[in-house]
Amino acid sequence: MLTDLEDSGIKIGKIHHLSPREAFEAAKKGAVFVDVRHAYETCYKGFGVEEVIYIDHEEIKERYTGLPQDKFLVIADSVGLHSKEVIEFLQQVGFTHLANLNGGIFDWERDGLPLKTNKKEKLTGSCACMLKPHGKRK
């Protein structure tokens, strides 16, 4: 099964990239999403797939040992920037069954794929880099 999952998408350099639809199909076949966004981002909108592990990209070096090495991991964030950095790190420490979700949750939502939302945790901001919990200043 891992080989089947690794055959989809495209590979640029050492990083395997999946479109949101390809990642969704991989999740249906048993891939695990690793959402590396900050906690305040994941509380509002999450990927509507069966198995998601939440690890803030800033904590990956301390918490990566809890990730399953026997499963295909789709690393995801808001737009696909921090997820690439996480993949590079995970490759350095021996993970091989990995893919980056191109476009992160923004492209996932744009493509109409399933989301889990908590409207009480809504985020506001003029662009993706400035999102914060609704009604709170930082």
Side-chain angles (χ1 to χ4, degrees):
M1 180 185 81
L2 289 173
T3 306
D4 293 343
L5 294 172
E6 292 168 335
D7 288 340
S8 61
I10 60 169
K11 192 166 186 175
I12 300 172
K14 293 182 179 183
I15 298 178
H16 191 86
H17 298 274
L18 296 177
S19 72
R21 292 204 184 282
E22 291 167 330
F24 182 59
E25 291 302 315
K28 288 198 265 183
K29 295 177 181 176
V32 175
F33 271 51
V34 180
D35 191 333
V36 297
R37 296 176 294 150
H38 295 292
Y40 71 89
E41 294 174 288
T42 62
C43 288
Y44 172 49
K45 260 182 209 171
F47 298 95
V49 297
E50 189 169 325
E51 193 170 357
V52 182
I53 298 170
Y54 298 95
I55 300 178
D56 186 317
H57 70 274
E58 294 175 348
E59 299 173 355
I60 196 69
K61 291 181 181 177
E62 293 82 32
R63 296 184 51 207
Y64 77 91
T65 56
L67 294 173
Q69 289 204 27
D70 61 336
K71 293 191 176 189
F72 189 80
L73 304 178
V74 177
I75 312 301
D77 65 3
S78 294
V79 294
L81 296 176
H82 293 298
S83 56
K84 288 188 241 178
E85 295 167 1
V86 168
I87 285 177
E88 289 170 351
F89 169 75
L90 291 174
Q91 288 174 331
Q92 289 173 2
V93 296
F95 283 79
T96 56
H97 307 296
L98 304 165
N100 179 53
L101 172 60
N102 265 348
I105 200 157
F106 284 100
D107 283 359
W108 180 273
E109 183 175 17
R110 181 204 64 207
D111 288 356
L113 295 167
L115 291 170
K116 295 177 183 174
T117 58
N118 180 348
K119 294 186 187 213
K120 292 179 183 177
E121 299 291 335
K122 186 174 182 176
L123 301 176
T124 61
S126 58
C127 74
C129 66
M130 300 179 80
L131 289 176
K132 63 181 183 274
H134 184 69
K136 296 181 182 177
R137 295 180 182 233
K138 186 169 181 179

